[in-house]
Amino acid sequence: MNWKRAKSLFIVVFLLVNICLIFVYNDKISKSKISDAEQQNSVNFEQENIKLPKNMPDVSHVKMQLITARSKDFKDEAEKSGKAEARNNGHTLDKEMSESVNVKLDPISHLKPYIDQNIYKGNEYQYHDTSDGKIKYEQTYKGFPIMNNNRAELTFDVKDDTVKSYEQSAMEDILPSKGSNNEPRQVISAHKAIEALYYNQYLKHDQEVENIRLGYYTVVKETNIQVLQANWEIKVKDANGTHTYYVEAISSNPQIIEQ
């Protein structure tokens, strides 16, 4: 064996291993600095006396994109039924129910079978709110609600703990919007969306974030067509009441709309 050559080879290998270790070490240091910087830039909501919801949605594996939808025209359905009327150019259907439903004890579970079996795209609607004698549902797309949209709602009127009629609007032909820049993108976290409110001075000291949810919000509305964008809906409570904000969910520099 040529010991001189073996010794030289050992030295070269030793140097290469050390160079690799230096690169790995520097990479870890760099990532550590980035992590520290992110933590330093993170808002201390507790220090600001801003209350946040205890359980915020986990969207670490959620990707979304712009979608386009068309408003359903209910004119034909209204003409075929003697107990229905279409209004708002056919985009809203007022209809008497084939059977009344008692909603005194558990309105959500009691209405669910009727909605699934008797209402157009019934399985796409999810419960949203009960107020002022009305039980409201929102249409969904891939499990996410189409928020604050009078073209994608289902509302039941409650009288004497019973519902006998409903008002419906619906979206159809819901598809990803066309365009080379409309690939699904990672959704920013709920915490980041709330921070965006804070940095843009919509959320301030001593206020409370009552609720936050992810869904689709209309950014372009034509007569029959809408373009909807992934947004965080955030409700903020202060001394003057509750304010609703929509924060763009697939942008590192999100736009904010105050309702």
Side-chain angles (χ1 to χ4, degrees):
M1 177 182 287
N2 190 330
W3 290 106
K4 188 174 182 180
R5 180 175 295 178
K7 183 179 179 181
S8 298
L9 182 61
F10 174 78
I11 292 171
V12 170
V13 171
F14 179 78
L15 289 173
L16 288 174
V17 169
N18 276 273
I19 290 171
C20 289
L21 289 173
I22 290 170
F23 275 114
V24 171
Y25 175 76
N26 286 335
D27 183 59
K28 287 185 176 180
I29 291 296
S30 176
K31 288 180 178 178
S32 175
K33 287 180 179 178
I34 292 172
S35 178
D36 289 342
E38 287 178 348
Q39 290 180 2
Q40 289 172 5
N41 291 331
S42 181
V43 179
N44 188 332
F45 289 110
E46 185 176 351
Q47 184 175 317
E48 292 292 325
N49 197 32
I50 295 173
K51 294 181 180 179
L52 303 183
K54 291 183 179 180
N55 298 312
M56 290 198 285
D58 178 12
V59 294
S60 55
H61 301 292
V62 177
K63 292 184 178 182
M64 299 172 77
Q65 61 193 138
L66 286 173
I67 59 173
T68 302
R70 182 169 59 86
S71 297
K72 164 73 174 173
D73 189 336
F74 286 99
K75 290 176 185 174
D76 288 343
E77 183 172 341
E79 289 177 1
K80 294 176 183 177
S81 173
K83 298 182 178 181
E85 178 184 354
R87 55 185 176 84
N88 293 337
N89 294 319
H91 299 311
T92 302
L93 179 72
D94 294 324
K95 190 172 184 179
E96 292 182 28
M97 296 167 60
S98 56
E99 58 185 81
S100 61
V101 178
N102 189 298
V103 293
K104 182 177 181 179
L105 297 178
D106 189 353
I108 300 173
S109 62
H110 287 176
L111 274 173
K112 182 65 174 171
Y114 184 89
I115 293 172
D116 289 345
Q117 296 170 19
N118 298 279
I119 290 179
Y120 175 75
K121 288 184 176 287
N123 62 349
E124 292 185 10
Y125 289 84
Q126 70 177 21
Y127 173 77
H128 174 53
D129 179 48
T130 299
S131 61
D132 301 324
K134 296 181 183 295
I135 301 174
K136 299 179 181 179
Y137 289 74
E138 293 173 322
Q139 191 176 354
T140 62
Y141 174 70
K142 292 188 175 181
F144 293 101
I146 299 173
M147 304 179 296
N148 191 26
N149 195 312
N150 61 8
R151 295 289 179 88
E153 294 179 333
L154 176 63
T155 304
F156 293 90
D157 289 318
V158 182
K159 293 181 180 179
D160 300 324
D161 299 323
T162 303
V163 295
K164 298 180 180 180
S165 63
Y166 65 87
E167 173 186 304
Q168 183 187 13
S169 57
M171 297 282 197
E172 54 186 7
D173 300 331
I174 306 176
L175 295 168
S177 300
K178 295 180 180 179
S180 57
N181 294 325
N182 191 34
E183 294 297 323
R185 298 179 185 177
Q186 176 62 45
V187 170
I188 64 172
S189 69
H191 197 274
K192 287 292 183 185
I194 295 172
E195 283 186 337
L197 281 186
Y198 176 84
Y199 288 131
N200 286 277
Q201 299 185 350
Y202 291 104
L203 178 62
K204 300 176 182 178
H205 184 75
D206 290 336
Q207 294 183 343
E208 178 184 356
V209 177
E210 287 189 315
N211 186 54
I212 180 168
R213 62 179 184 144
L214 180 64
Y216 288 96
Y217 183 75
T218 298
V219 290
V220 178
K221 181 182 288 187
E222 300 294 338
T223 304
N224 297 320
I225 302 293
Q226 294 188 25
V227 177
L228 302 101
Q229 182 186 65
N231 270 245
W232 285 104
E233 181 190 75
I234 305 175
K235 293 187 178 293
V236 176
K237 183 180 180 181
D238 62 17
N240 298 317
T242 300
H243 310 271
T244 303
Y245 302 95
Y246 292 92
V247 180
E248 189 179 359
I250 52 174
S251 171
S252 57
N253 185 27
Q255 300 294 312
I256 299 172
I257 298 173
E258 182 176 4
Q259 187 61 38

